[in-house]
Amino acid sequence: MRNKILSAGFALALVGGLAAGCGGGDSGGNANEISIVMSNHPWQKAIEPLIPEFEKASGVKVKVQTFAEQQARDKISLTLQSRSSSMDVFMTLPSREGLQFSKAGYYAPLDDYMSKSASYDAADFPAAVKTGMTIQDKMIAAPVNVEGVVLYYRTDLFEKYGITPPKTLDELPTVAAAIKQKSGGKVTPIALRGQSAALPFTFGPFLHSQGVEWTKPDGTPNFDAPGAADAINRYATLAKEYGPPGVVNNTFTQSSALFAAGSAAMELESSNEISSINDPKTSKVVGKIGVLDFPAGSAGSKSTVLNWGIAMSSYSKHKDAAWKFIEWATGKATQLKLTAGGIAPPRTSVAQDKSYTDTLNTDTLKEWSKALANVQANGSTEVGPVGVAAPEMRKVVGDAVGKVILGQADADAAAKEIQDGLTPLLAKNAG
């Protein structure tokens, strides 16, 4: 019954959207064929099987190219830099490349398309979600998900060891030490990111929860602020003393694989990873997973909130068809369908829809939903320092924290290295 209702909703939404006919101008090639570049991601995995429905209803043929995240970024960047019209729609992380792409003119703004669509209802996205998709006062992408940093833990192990789950940053290393001692070193206390480019996403909450921002109000680095070195030390200590071997090479893939295999007692990772660690086909810990808010620091629990989006290339010659896809993929009916694939909906109406909330029927999913709500309400949208050189800036942060994890530097030296490394890169924002 649910599938029939969703299909009917999808058809009505799509027909309404197609009838709206937002203008963007199509010229050259086949106006009813578009090319999309996606990153290997839970949303991509959930949306691809639905695309034939869109093709049948819209008459638009969709060519999809999917790559690993970094390969996708390389493909997208090269295509845009060459001003090629071969790509119409692409996945984007505005908190990473948003300002850079916007200043380069790579995004086709979506404001007019959204406002002219009779069925789209952009107001259904919470303010924080829309802010994350807005660069230089223009909506440059449509949100496809919402995720943030949460703490997963093994309820069975915590009960076995008689340990209370940590609620604060001060408690976190104490709990990790207890797990290490009580398990005789057989269980990794915590899985977390150590790979340079990936680390800022999970490191950011350590800063924000201690009341420290990436930059000062004047746009200069803030790593000479009281608390910055403390945040670095807290993160590096967890990774070095209680993380898995080779943690500096790990991102979410390795962390979730370790946790799902039953080899780690805790995992500090994206709320998005619930679909991986709670999958009965691949996980050994289903039914034994607890989910907590990011542990609170002196400024409370301040997780990182992240939204992926899909954007339209400014060089697309098939903008009307590209909008039809974006409208369908991020519309209410499709986003409701995607919740069955574990995609947390960025739309308020979908998040509150009974057919979705009724599926949150286990303690794990109820706790996950509650933690995600806290992420949306209190999280920071700044995944790393914001600027045209975002990738380089994240590397500066990741490399410096990595040296502390490896014992090659102390936290004070790492903070100074980040301060010095970010200064010229943030200066590029004024260009």
Side-chain angles (χ1 to χ4, degrees):
M1 175 62 73
R2 182 185 176 197
N3 286 338
K4 290 182 179 179
I5 292 172
L6 289 175
S7 294
F10 153 74
L12 287 171
L14 182 57
V15 170
L18 299 184
C22 301
D26 284 332
S27 62
N30 185 350
N32 288 318
E33 182 173 316
I34 59 172
S35 176
I36 301 175
V37 177
M38 296 191 191
S39 174
N40 189 342
H41 184 274
W43 179 81
Q44 163 264 322
K45 291 181 176 69
I47 195 74
E48 277 204 52
L50 305 183
I51 290 178
E53 296 180 14
F54 166 76
E55 292 178 316
K56 182 177 180 181
S58 67
V60 175
K61 178 70 175 175
V62 179
K63 177 185 177 183
V64 176
Q65 297 181 75
T66 301
F67 304 90
E69 187 170 332
Q70 189 54 53
Q71 290 176 313
R73 284 202 175 97
D74 292 343
K75 169 71 174 177
I76 290 165
S77 294
L78 287 172
T79 303
L80 293 170
Q81 288 167 9
S82 64
R83 301 190 176 191
S84 171
S85 62
S86 63
M87 177 181 70
D88 301 288
V89 175
F90 58 95
M91 282 181 67
T92 185
L93 196 55
S95 60
R96 186 182 191 276
E97 65 265 2
L99 186 59
Q100 176 190 10
F101 280 16
S102 182
K103 283 195 169 187
Y106 293 159
Y107 295 119
L110 301 178
D111 304 83
D112 287 346
Y113 290 97
M114 291 179 176
S115 65
K116 292 177 182 177
S117 172
S119 62
Y120 192 68
D121 189 13
D124 192 32
F125 295 112
V129 173
K130 288 195 288 187
T131 297
M133 296 289 118
T134 303
I135 305 291
Q136 297 181 318
D137 298 323
K138 295 178 181 178
M139 195 86 163
I140 50 83
V144 300
N145 78 326
V146 59
E147 59 183 288
V149 181
V150 299
L151 184 66
Y152 301 104
Y153 71 100
R154 288 276 302 281
T155 55
D156 58 328
L157 289 182
F158 274 70
E159 183 177 351
K160 176 182 177 181
Y161 299 147
I163 300 173
T164 301
K167 293 185 178 180
T168 69
L169 286 176
D170 287 340
E171 293 172 358
L172 187 55
T174 302
V175 168
I179 292 167
K180 186 174 183 177
Q181 185 268 322
K182 290 178 180 290
S183 71
K186 294 180 180 179
V187 176
T188 296
I190 187 165
L192 70 172
R193 301 184 184 196
Q195 188 184 86
S196 178
L199 181 148
F201 175 64
T202 45
F203 168 68
F206 284 75
L207 282 176
H208 298 135
S209 293
Q210 295 292 88
V212 181
E213 298 298 324
W214 294 104
T215 56
K216 297 182 176 75
D218 64 1
T220 58
N222 199 30
F223 278 78
D224 56 358
D230 175 68
I232 293 171
N233 186 60
R234 287 176 184 271
Y235 193 94
T237 298
L238 278 174
K240 181 180 180 180
E241 301 293 335
Y242 308 112
V247 65
V248 291
N249 299 311
N250 289 2
T251 182
F252 67 90
T253 304
Q254 293 79 15
S255 291
S256 291
L258 192 69
F259 189 83
S263 301
M266 296 183 287
E267 180 186 12
L268 192 67
E269 195 38 82
S270 168
S271 56
N272 227 32
E273 288 303 291
I274 191 70
S275 60
S276 297
I277 63 173
N278 199 43
D279 184 348
K281 296 178 182 177
T282 57
S283 176
K284 295 180 180 180
V285 297
V286 175
K288 306 172 185 177
I289 303 170
V291 189
L292 296 172
D293 293 337
F294 181 84
S298 59
S301 175
K302 302 287 185 181
S303 184
T304 299
V305 58
L306 181 151
N307 298 103
W308 279 88
I310 48 174
M312 183 192 303
S313 168
S314 62
Y315 306 116
S316 169
K317 293 183 179 179
H318 309 136
K319 289 186 173 66
D320 287 343
W323 167 246
K324 289 176 185 177
F325 177 82
I326 294 172
E327 181 180 33
W328 165 78
T330 62
K332 296 177 183 179
T334 302
Q335 290 202 340
L336 184 57
K337 262 193 171 183
L338 292 172
T339 62
I343 306 303
R347 284 183 174 273
T348 301
S349 65
V350 178
Q352 297 174 349
D353 193 290
K354 190 174 185 298
S355 65
Y356 168 57
T357 58
D358 282 351
T359 66
L360 305 175
N361 54 10
T362 66
D363 288 344
T364 296
L365 292 178
K366 289 174 183 176
E367 291 176 4
W368 171 79
S369 179
K370 182 179 178 181
L372 189 57
N374 181 52
V375 165
Q376 287 186 275
N378 301 306
S380 169
T381 58
E382 293 190 358
V383 179
V386 177
V388 295
E392 293 93 329
M393 290 192 288
R394 292 191 191 188
K395 187 175 186 302
V396 167
V397 173
D399 285 351
V401 177
K403 289 179 182 178
V404 185
I405 295 173
L406 291 170
Q408 298 172 353
D410 62 23
D412 288 327
K416 185 178 187 306
E417 181 177 327
I418 295 171
Q419 184 75 13
D420 293 343
L422 292 183
T423 297
L425 295 174
L426 282 165
K428 292 183 179 181
N429 291 346

